[in-house]
Amino acid sequence: MSDGPGPKPAPAAHGAPAAQPVLSLALVSLMHAVGAHSGAVYLLRPDEPVLEMAVHAGMPRAFAAPWERLGLSASLPVADAVRERRLVWVGGEEEMARRYPRIAVVLPYPFALAAVPVATERQVYGAVFVTWPGAHPPELSDGERDHLWAACERLALRLERSRRTSPPPGREHDVLSTPVSGVADTLGSIEAARMVSRLPYGLVSLDLHGRINFANTAAADLLGRPPAELLGMLLWAAVPWLNDPMYEDRYRAALLSQEVASFVALRPPGDWLSFRMYPSTTGLSVRISRARAVAEMARDAPRTGPGPSRLVTISQVLSLAAALTEAVGVQDVVQLVWDEVAPAVGSQALAVLGTQGGRLHVLGHRGYPDPHTVERFDGLPLAERTPGTQVLGTGVPAFFGSRQELQRLYPGRHETPDGFAAWAYLPLIASGRPVGTCVLAYADPHVFPADERAVLTSLGGLIAQALERALLYDAKHRLAQGLQQALLPHSLTPPAGIEAAARYLPATHGMEIGGDFYDLVPTRPLAAAVIGDVQGHNVTAAGLMGQIRTGVRAFTAVGQAPHEVMSSTNRLLIDLGADLFASCLYLRLDPAHGRAVMARAGHPPPLLRRPDGQVRVLDLAGGPLLGIDAGAVYPTTEVALTPGSVLVLYTDGLVETPGVDIEDALVGLGELLTDIGDQPLESLADEVVRNSAAARQRVDDVAVLLLRARDDG
């Protein structure tokens, strides 16, 4: 993971641009050396685990708006580079979607990215990322890699030296490429303008921000605005019917990928125009013409809608939505909101509140220096008048820009100070009902303008959907765990002369509940052991497993022989009519005479380790799976069980891995038992599970029962 010590926050100023553009010069020099077309420098804040973008180059900062501030634990290339002190390389659109889906959702364009930590041996100051067009090879060259590391190391040393003599660098002015002069002389420029004005189609020049620097007469006619009213304006702001995020997205795609992009748009009432964008590192040239085959184009063209929102806001919402799809439980939601939302909106602490039994329930919190200040509200009756209970009960957001505003409406709030100066209480409403409240706390007084309140409230809606799913998942998970614990034995009571240890791991897919089971029945004079696997990983399989285990215990208690226990259990399963099958291995243990009698129903064969360390797979006679044939016969096999021998019983989840031969897995298990089979049985059980590739992947339930014969005489 890391080739150095963990990151230590370095001083990073926050405020006015630095007097000398140390970061800008270093970034532009690096981009030039490796041929990148955009990049940014992030600095670690000194007071919190947050990376802040200090300078951006080559592209409008709006492209990276969702990641202006990001938590150090966020799953993003820059944060990964800082945490792990390594170069993070993402070679293209597909790799970005696979490794960093929340970036791919916001910027679904072909481009490559590298992120490198800015660090000395003693301290991490931040990180740099740079991007290349999609035409970049899928791998970094050795030269590019060396340039990136060397430039970031030089910048780290520069920051280390400057820290001793001057204030640390802070945010600097972004660096955008300046337009290249068009022609060599004035006469040439005039003639070029005349030539362009005579063309029958429209030509528009956009800078990197999307502002219009030039438009010929044909373009002005097609757009319906005089050239003088177009200059200096954003294309989609100057022309109302182009004010759609879809069109701005094409501009972003062209700039970021450096590939030609195009779209068609409807100029009211019925004229379809074609826009083709030719990008460079200094801006875009746009060719505008009347679209051909209007009827065909109309079917594919995007439709304009009234009052679309700005794309930056959409980017932030998409980024959070992508992140929240990864949340499983409630604590996942809390952590993702802390990693994604809090840094983006400048919040220094958050709490997520819910309701349970008519009382306030603190589901999770981050950033509070004293956790007791928020945890003391846990269990508060909803009838109490506090901001959290009010918002949770009414579903109406509340914003307090200062401590005075909060205390004016809630005079008792001063009795529980949390050290913060402004708060946003966002109702989390899903399926038409409040499921919780998200509290964002700010260290300084904070003004909440109308547009920010709207964005925060919208983000609350996304958080609510994830929280509702997480609450349901956690409830199912608790149910599954409780059911599983109730159906499996709480402890093993082996007979004299036998030592036992067991392990159970549910599959990682589904509800973490399954049909694998084991048991040890301490009947007299002989004890019995059983292990089995009911097909499926759900409540039905678990319930049937419980019935089989109970049946085996009952048939053993009345003195049935091993083959009779297996036959009776088979008929029981058929009589239940569950349409599920089960494998099973049953043993009658006789340690006093050093033997065991076994019956098998389609179950994987056990392994026997002798006292001398030799291991063999027991080739037992057996019958079909339980639940198939009511008349099935289950023959028995007697096996010698001398003191020091270890029997290893398991379900197929321990040895079956896609793409791996089961015989190879059994050979590996046998070699492990030969090497470490003399360990205490509890330690051996842990090692058997830990060294199983199938158990690590956990595509199936895993049950293991180890039995060691010992001489108690």
Side-chain angles (χ1 to χ4, degrees):
M1 281 214 16
S2 174
D3 54 4
K8 300 176 182 177
H14 179 68
Q20 294 185 351
V22 175
L23 305 177
S24 302
L25 292 174
L27 179 60
V28 171
S29 175
L30 169 59
M31 289 168 53
H32 178 74
V34 298
H37 73 318
S38 75
V41 178
Y42 281 83
L43 295 179
L44 271 171
R45 284 189 59 86
D47 53 347
E48 55 183 329
V50 169
L51 287 161
E52 286 187 333
M53 189 185 297
V55 64
H56 192 275
M59 292 285 168
R61 182 178 284 251
F63 283 25
W67 308 289
E68 284 270 2
R69 300 176 82 251
L70 53 96
L72 193 57
S73 59
S75 179
L76 294 167
V78 172
D80 287 351
V82 171
R83 284 197 316 274
E84 301 170 16
R85 297 189 67 153
R86 65 180 177 90
L87 186 151
V88 176
W89 166 250
V90 184
E93 189 176 8
E94 292 184 3
E95 188 177 358
M96 184 68 77
R98 184 175 66 255
R99 294 174 56 191
Y100 300 102
R102 64 190 70 171
I103 295 179
V105 168
V106 179
L107 301 174
Y109 318 121
F111 69 96
L113 178 146
V116 188
V118 176
T120 63
E121 290 185 0
R122 294 182 296 275
Q123 192 163 13
V124 177
Y125 291 88
V128 169
F129 83 75
V130 290
T131 67
W132 292 264
H136 188 284
E139 298 295 336
L140 268 179
S141 68
D142 291 340
E144 290 170 331
R145 191 176 294 271
D146 292 343
H147 275 301
L148 288 168
W149 275 116
C152 290
E153 288 171 358
R154 287 195 300 270
L155 178 57
L157 291 173
R158 181 91 178 262
L159 293 173
E160 186 175 56
R161 287 194 299 268
S162 66
R163 185 179 57 174
R164 306 189 192 108
T165 59
S166 60
R171 178 166 174 167
E172 298 178 2
H173 292 297
D174 290 348
V175 184
L176 293 175
S177 299
T178 54
V180 180
S181 58
V183 286
D185 53 52
T186 303
L187 183 59
S189 300
I190 294 173
E191 186 55 37
R194 289 173 178 170
M195 179 189 70
V196 170
S197 67
R198 290 193 292 264
L199 292 174
Y201 47 79
L203 283 180
V204 173
S205 176
L206 305 180
D207 67 11
L208 290 175
H209 287 292
R211 292 187 294 255
I212 301 171
N213 287 333
F214 172 83
N216 68 354
T217 303
D221 291 342
L222 289 169
L223 296 175
R225 296 285 300 274
E229 295 182 9
L230 295 173
L231 296 181
M233 297 285 289
L234 294 172
L235 178 60
W236 36 90
V239 183
W241 44 271
L242 286 178
N243 190 14
D244 189 305
M246 177 69 73
Y247 305 142
E248 187 180 352
D249 177 72
R250 294 295 83 208
Y251 141 80
R252 289 156 56 95
L255 275 187
L256 201 56
S257 68
Q258 290 292 292
E259 296 178 354
V260 176
S262 61
F263 63 87
V264 292
L266 175 65
R267 173 187 170 180
D271 293 330
W272 287 93
L273 300 182
S274 172
F275 294 77
R276 192 164 182 83
M277 297 182 170
Y278 300 87
S280 75
T281 57
T282 61
L284 289 168
S285 296
V286 185
R287 183 182 187 273
I288 308 173
S289 60
R290 296 190 182 277
R292 305 296 180 183
V294 175
E296 179 181 351
M297 297 296 288
R299 288 195 297 270
D300 298 331
R303 299 185 181 274
T304 58
S309 58
R310 299 310 312 145
L311 197 60
V312 172
T313 299
I314 292 176
S315 299
Q316 292 169 333
V317 173
L318 286 174
S319 176
L320 177 62
L324 288 174
T325 59
E326 302 172 9
V328 178
V330 170
Q331 293 309 309
D332 295 330
V333 174
V334 174
Q335 188 63 44
L336 278 169
V337 174
W338 176 241
D339 291 339
E340 300 292 329
V341 177
V345 302
S347 170
Q348 283 73 46
L350 76 88
V352 178
L353 311 176
T355 177
Q356 188 175 30
R359 294 181 177 271
L360 197 67
H361 182 43
V362 178
L363 300 176
H365 57 83
R366 300 288 188 276
Y368 288 90
D370 181 6
H372 179 67
T373 59
V374 62
E375 291 172 357
R376 67 182 300 173
F377 290 102
D378 194 64
L380 190 72
L382 293 181
E384 291 283 339
R385 191 174 181 274
T386 69
T389 56
Q390 288 288 105
V391 172
L392 188 59
T394 64
V396 178
F399 301 92
F400 306 96
S402 67
R403 188 181 300 276
Q404 291 73 21
E405 289 185 27
L406 181 62
Q407 291 179 355
R408 187 168 61 250
L409 292 177
Y410 298 91
R413 185 62 170 73
H414 69 276
E415 298 175 1
T416 56
D418 55 17
F420 294 97
W423 301 264
Y425 286 78
L426 309 177
L428 306 181
I429 300 175
S431 304
R433 64 181 183 86
V435 296
T437 299
C438 179
V439 184
L440 298 171
Y442 297 76
D444 301 311
H446 185 86
V447 177
F448 295 96
D451 56 347
E452 183 176 352
R453 296 185 182 205
V455 170
L456 289 174
T457 304
S458 298
L459 294 179
L462 291 176
I463 298 169
Q465 298 295 327
L467 182 62
E468 184 181 44
R469 293 193 303 269
L471 289 168
L472 180 60
Y473 173 85
D474 283 352
K476 289 183 176 180
H477 184 66
R478 288 192 297 270
L479 171 64
Q481 285 188 321
L483 181 58
Q484 195 78 61
Q485 291 170 2
L487 294 176
L488 289 173
H490 296 289
S491 62
L492 298 175
T493 308
I498 294 291
E499 183 184 355
R503 296 291 183 270
Y504 173 81
L505 296 175
T508 54
H509 303 287
M511 287 183 61
E512 296 196 4
I513 186 171
D516 288 18
F517 67 97
Y518 61 86
D519 202 358
L520 195 57
V521 187
T523 53
R524 294 179 182 274
L526 303 178
V530 64
I531 192 168
D533 181 2
V534 179
Q535 65 180 127
H537 312 118
N538 51 35
V539 174
T540 301
L544 191 61
M545 172 265 283
Q547 291 174 302
I548 292 176
R549 178 172 163 247
T550 301
V552 168
R553 274 186 164 260
F555 300 138
T556 301
V558 298
Q560 288 190 356
H563 70 280
E564 294 174 322
V565 171
M566 198 69 78
S567 297
S568 298
T569 306
N570 177 50
R571 289 191 295 271
L572 170 66
L573 187 56
I574 292 174
D575 291 342
L576 291 173
D579 295 328
L580 293 178
F581 308 132
S583 68
C584 190
L585 178 65
Y586 180 86
L587 296 78
R588 186 62 56 84
L589 300 168
D590 188 0
H593 296 88
R595 65 178 183 174
V597 179
M598 306 184 186
R600 185 164 71 99
H603 198 80
L607 274 66
L608 175 66
R609 184 189 189 275
R610 299 183 185 277
D612 60 4
Q614 293 186 1
V615 178
R616 68 186 181 97
V617 178
L618 298 180
D619 184 16
L620 305 178
L625 292 168
L626 303 177
I628 294 179
D629 179 8
V633 176
Y634 297 93
T636 58
T637 304
E638 183 175 310
V639 177
L641 196 61
T642 57
S645 300
V646 178
L647 271 173
V648 180
L649 317 179
Y650 57 91
T651 56
D652 53 12
L654 183 74
V655 295
E656 288 190 358
T657 306
V660 177
D661 192 290
I662 191 171
E663 292 186 4
D664 294 335
L666 288 174
V667 169
L669 178 57
E671 292 173 347
L672 177 69
L673 294 171
T674 297
D675 294 339
I676 65 172
D678 290 327
Q679 288 189 5
L681 212 57
E682 291 291 338
S683 299
L684 181 59
D686 290 333
E687 290 298 317
V688 166
V689 172
R690 188 177 68 83
N691 284 276
S692 167
R696 287 194 298 272
Q697 296 181 16
R698 287 170 63 184
V699 296
D700 195 3
D701 307 320
V702 177
V704 177
L705 178 60
L706 305 184
L707 303 171
R708 174 179 281 153
R710 62 189 184 194
D711 187 358
D712 291 342

